[in-house]
Amino acid sequence: MTGPLTPEQVSLCDATAAFARAEIAPFAQEWDRAGTIPRGVLSRAAILGLGGLSVPVEQGGSGLSRLDATLVYEELARACPSVAAYISIHNMCVGMVAQHGSANLRAQYLARMIRFDAVAAYCLTEPGSGSDAAALRTHATAQPKGWLLSGTKAFISGANYADLYVVMCRTGAAGPSGITALAVPKGTTGLSFGAPEVKMGWRAQPTAEVRFDDCLVPADHLLAAEGQGFALAMAGLDCGRLNIAACSLGGAAQCLQIALSYMAERTAFGRRLDQFQALQFRLADMQTHLVSARAMLHQAACALDEGWPDATIQVAMAKRLCTDTGFTIANDALQLLGGYGYLADFGIEKIVRDLRAHQIVEGTNEIMRLIISRAMLAGMP
């Protein structure tokens, strides 16, 4: 994106920021300790249209572009990156159901998901296959009444919290072409969950293993067609990577603002901290990196919206840059507050913990570098 935001985008940012300040920020630390996001705040988020951001208006969604969605996630993450990231995961699943679900599946779940009456979880990673997603072993076999699903998924945000699980499973030969996507309702016989994981960050999101033991999934809960699961997963991850990048920048921007406010009040050696040139230079670098990363993110979002041939590469670059930059800015802001930055009272330490996950999820940044370098070596400019 080049140029300023449109009036509509400014209104979108203002409305999201007001919601985040009122409904999320005051409770972020409490939810971090409790390990869950109250359903009530999600229901209120749905009133703002956050339950189906990129679902077409004719299907009941908000119909936002990928660029518009990044603006929303950045504002949400200023209040809490963990909550913002979970809303992103939910939206990724909603988009898959809206675009690829059967008429019956959409009738059962789409409107409920857009209202956050039903929340979703995305199940790709397994205990033995993280970055090598195509090596997944969870499998499903065709039955007269549907699919018999068995296997285990790991590190699943929303495990035992979500109402619908979008599951990538193997229905064919080894490799990407043998992977299929199924939507598994909570309460399905054979569906169970591991103990909640104790995590460094993203604590507001309940995370655990999701286990399938001969779960019979209805035939019309297939997304797209058999063998199309990996393509769906990768397309979903392109969107998810943009969102996580935006969440990183929102968290970083909040940390930078906290540091600015603190430095305007704190004195040392007879001067306010913001009067020391060395610290001013650090602030300048932090702001420059933040604005530069945001420009890369907006360009990548436009690439995806407009169908550029290198859109996936643009997204990988943005995800790598924004998540690394966001974590560094947040960590530098903590340092500027010294011992106070290490305390929960100022909010920075929580954001640092949350943003560290962003360098891992939606494809590690090492995988982003692999995507980028392979494209370069193949001759893509």
Side-chain angles (χ1 to χ4, degrees):
M1 178 184 181
T2 57
L5 300 180
T6 66
E8 292 78 12
Q9 289 170 331
V10 171
S11 295
L12 178 65
C13 289
D14 289 345
T16 306
F19 172 83
R21 286 195 300 269
E23 299 283 356
I24 299 176
F27 313 104
Q29 293 281 7
E30 176 186 339
W31 300 342
D32 185 72
R33 291 189 295 270
T36 192
I37 304 167
R39 289 294 190 103
V41 73
L42 297 180
S43 297
R44 293 189 292 277
I47 297 172
L48 200 62
L50 303 185
L53 285 173
S54 297
V55 175
V57 173
E58 55 268 25
Q59 288 185 287
S62 299
L64 297 187
S65 68
R66 299 302 174 189
L67 174 59
D68 292 341
T70 64
L71 304 176
V72 168
Y73 289 115
E74 182 170 346
E75 293 298 337
L76 290 174
R78 289 174 184 262
C80 179
S82 179
V83 173
Y86 189 71
I87 290 175
S88 167
I89 293 166
H90 170 82
N91 270 273
M92 183 165 58
C93 297
V94 176
M96 290 181 178
V97 171
Q99 187 173 358
H100 302 290
S102 67
N104 186 51
L105 183 66
R106 293 198 305 271
Q108 286 187 66
Y109 283 100
L110 185 56
R112 293 172 58 206
M113 294 168 80
I114 290 171
R115 295 193 305 267
F116 274 117
D117 291 342
V119 298
Y122 180 75
C123 302
L124 175 61
T125 301
E126 298 186 357
S129 62
S131 294
D132 186 10
L136 63 84
R137 299 178 64 181
T138 296
H139 61 278
T141 55
Q143 303 290 312
K145 295 185 178 181
W147 299 88
L148 202 61
L149 176 67
S150 292
T152 301
K153 298 294 182 178
F155 309 120
I156 304 304
S157 292
N160 207 15
Y161 175 84
D163 305 287
L164 192 70
Y165 296 83
V166 174
V167 182
M168 303 302 156
C169 58
R170 187 163 303 286
T171 58
S177 63
I179 296 173
T180 295
L182 297 174
V184 183
K186 189 175 185 180
T188 298
T189 301
L191 174 62
S192 63
F193 308 95
E197 303 287 3
V198 179
K199 310 185 298 294
M200 174 182 177
W202 273 24
R203 292 181 180 175
Q205 298 182 27
T207 303
E209 285 189 346
V210 179
R211 300 164 181 165
F212 310 95
D213 184 12
D214 288 340
C215 294
L216 184 59
V217 183
D220 61 8
H221 282 42
L222 172 72
L223 295 173
E226 184 179 354
Q228 294 297 306
F230 192 77
L232 265 62
M234 294 303 102
L237 285 175
D238 272 348
C239 301
R241 287 165 183 166
L242 289 176
N243 300 345
I244 286 298
C247 290
S248 290
L249 298 187
Q254 180 65 15
C255 289
L256 181 53
Q257 185 57 54
I258 293 171
L260 280 168
S261 298
Y262 176 84
M263 293 170 67
E265 298 176 356
R266 179 65 188 267
T267 60
F269 307 106
R271 300 166 64 188
R272 289 197 336 239
L273 292 187
D274 62 7
Q275 298 303 304
F276 288 90
Q277 189 179 67
L279 301 184
Q280 291 174 348
F281 283 6
R282 179 174 289 194
L283 291 172
D285 286 344
M286 293 162 73
Q287 177 71 359
T288 300
H289 295 322
L290 179 65
V291 172
S292 300
R294 185 180 291 125
M296 177 77 249
L297 173 62
H298 290 181
Q299 176 176 299
C302 288
L304 202 58
D305 280 330
E306 298 170 9
W308 295 8
D310 66 340
T312 291
I313 313 307
Q314 295 277 341
V315 169
M317 290 191 290
K319 194 271 180 181
R320 202 291 300 165
L321 178 64
C322 293
T323 56
D324 282 348
T325 299
F327 177 77
T328 299
I329 290 171
N331 197 45
D332 286 350
L334 189 154
Q335 187 72 19
L336 289 171
L337 267 69
Y340 288 107
Y342 202 68
L343 302 180
D345 304 51
F346 285 82
I348 290 183
E349 64 84 28
K350 175 194 174 298
I351 295 176
V352 170
R353 290 189 285 105
D354 285 343
L355 296 194
R356 185 61 184 85
H358 296 189
Q359 296 168 294
I360 300 170
V361 301
E362 311 289 24
T364 66
N365 284 2
E366 288 72 25
I367 292 297
M368 297 306 101
R369 291 179 174 93
L370 187 61
I371 292 170
I372 297 161
S373 60
R374 281 179 174 174
M376 295 171 63
L377 294 171
M380 182 175 287

